[in-house]
Amino acid sequence: MNILLIGSGGREHALAWKLSQSPKCDALYCAPGNAGIAQNAICVTLDISDHTAILDFINEKKINFVVVGPEQPLVDGLADAITAEGIPCFGPSKEAARLEGSKGFMKDLCAKYNIPTAAYGRFTDIEEAKQFVTENSLPIVVKADGLAAGKGVIICETQDAAFTAIEDMLSGNKFGAAGHEVVIEEFLDGEEVSYFALSDGQTVLPLTGAQDHKRAFTGDKGPNTGGMGAYSPPPLLTPELEDKILKTAIQPTIDGMAAEDCPFKGVLFAGLMVKNGEPTLLEHNIRFGDPECQALMMRLKTDLVELLYAAATQNLHEFTGRIEWHDMAALTVVMAARGYPDSYAKGTEIKNIEEAELPGDVKIFHAGTKEEGGKLVNSGGRVLNVTAIAQDIKGAQEKAYDACEKIDWPEGFCRRDIGWRAM
């Protein structure tokens, strides 16, 4: 098959790396890609918000299959445009993408289909939202309803902090259109876990879990980010917990979406809080996590093209029980530009990438890089995903940080404690 991958981050580099290993992959293109993805795919300069340009490229290159990495194009309806042309596309429809595109929609679905989640309210009026805060206990969580690049969730310890978050969002100052509605919900404590499953609209195929590190700095300090590291599998994810997650969160969501006449096809990424062995759904995402995907792709043995194509063409039932994983642990450390998630410099040079990689053990996925004047430079805030695999998480952690030390990039930084919960 000729395959087109949409996206330009570390998640897409990991997907490109794995897709390119499939014997079913004749040619792999990526739009727009990055300097690392160019090692595994032909990068093409396309505006991924321009559906007509993408369809023209699909026809020109005789693309047989499209994989959409990020959430924004899916929320914008890219999968609908592609499937309307008769081309299989991995990723949910615009209607189904509301699971991530609208936190309010997701919470209402949970309420309707008895999926355990935090108590909540939906608001567009500032005073009504503030009144809800005064009637509930602290801390409390204020969320922008729409997409906010992983940064639209604010845990508020005080009433004043909650009021400020509400005003910032509903006034449009903080997250623009994404904050025109807010979801306010009770704070849940416990341990977070991410769980991934494929669906073709009917069949659910469980994948595995991971744990992400959202805070910017070592010791879980600093602002929330798009993710500073992850590892898989988390020790927390026992077979018993996995079974509960599938029965209480994943299967009811897929069944509920089908009942709402917007079947979900793609990867469902559930973020859950676990306390005393009981999982509660925090949110659903409609794509692979970033950087969780990087750790997952290092562990996956099954042909990724076959898996994703089966989901896109409603043939997942053929895979029941056949997915294989390396019986090892994987851990990824995000190297980011100093200043991230706030302002940071672009165009700073990165050296010694090749020296830091260990074939079979360490793979460095590019998240925000480009070639400029024959040099590798950063083009984003999260820049490199240093990913290692070993017999256990401690071994993977040691390999990943050894590789980080070899990378010559004075303008970069990373958390030094990725995997601390597992330790």
Short mmCIF file of all heavy atoms in Angstrom, two decimals, residues 99 227 241 337 388 420-421:
data_model
loop_
_atom_site.label_atom_id
_atom_site.label_comp_id
_atom_site.label_asym_id
_atom_site.label_seq_id
_atom_site.Cartn_x
_atom_site.Cartn_y
_atom_site.Cartn_z
N LEU A 99 -15.64 13.31 21.19
CA LEU A 99 -15.19 12.72 22.44
C LEU A 99 -14.00 13.47 23.03
O LEU A 99 -13.84 13.55 24.25
CB LEU A 99 -14.81 11.25 22.24
CG LEU A 99 -15.92 10.21 22.38
CD1 LEU A 99 -15.38 8.83 22.10
CD2 LEU A 99 -16.56 10.26 23.77
N GLY A 227 3.14 16.86 27.93
CA GLY A 227 3.70 15.58 28.38
C GLY A 227 5.21 15.61 28.33
O GLY A 227 5.80 15.92 27.29
N LEU A 241 -7.31 -4.74 36.93
CA LEU A 241 -7.63 -3.34 36.65
C LEU A 241 -7.93 -3.16 35.17
O LEU A 241 -8.87 -2.43 34.80
CB LEU A 241 -6.47 -2.44 37.08
CG LEU A 241 -6.66 -0.94 36.78
CD1 LEU A 241 -7.90 -0.40 37.48
CD2 LEU A 241 -5.42 -0.16 37.19
N ALA A 337 12.75 22.63 24.84
CA ALA A 337 13.50 23.88 24.79
C ALA A 337 13.32 24.64 26.11
O ALA A 337 12.21 24.70 26.65
CB ALA A 337 13.03 24.73 23.62
N ALA A 388 13.72 4.32 25.25
CA ALA A 388 14.54 3.13 25.45
C ALA A 388 13.67 1.95 25.85
O ALA A 388 12.59 2.11 26.43
CB ALA A 388 15.60 3.39 26.52
N TRP A 420 9.30 7.65 37.97
CA TRP A 420 9.50 7.60 39.42
C TRP A 420 8.42 6.78 40.13
O TRP A 420 8.72 6.11 41.12
CB TRP A 420 9.57 9.01 40.01
CG TRP A 420 8.31 9.80 40.00
CD1 TRP A 420 7.87 10.65 39.02
CD2 TRP A 420 7.28 9.82 41.00
NE1 TRP A 420 6.65 11.20 39.34
CE2 TRP A 420 6.27 10.72 40.56
CE3 TRP A 420 7.14 9.20 42.25
CZ2 TRP A 420 5.12 10.98 41.30
CZ3 TRP A 420 5.99 9.45 42.99
CH2 TRP A 420 5.00 10.33 42.53
N ARG A 421 7.20 6.82 39.64
CA ARG A 421 6.16 6.03 40.30
C ARG A 421 6.46 4.53 40.23
O ARG A 421 6.24 3.78 41.19
CB ARG A 421 4.78 6.29 39.65
CG ARG A 421 4.18 7.64 40.02
CD ARG A 421 2.77 7.75 39.49
NE ARG A 421 2.18 9.06 39.75
CZ ARG A 421 1.58 9.38 40.88
NH1 ARG A 421 1.51 8.49 41.88
NH2 ARG A 421 1.06 10.58 41.05
#
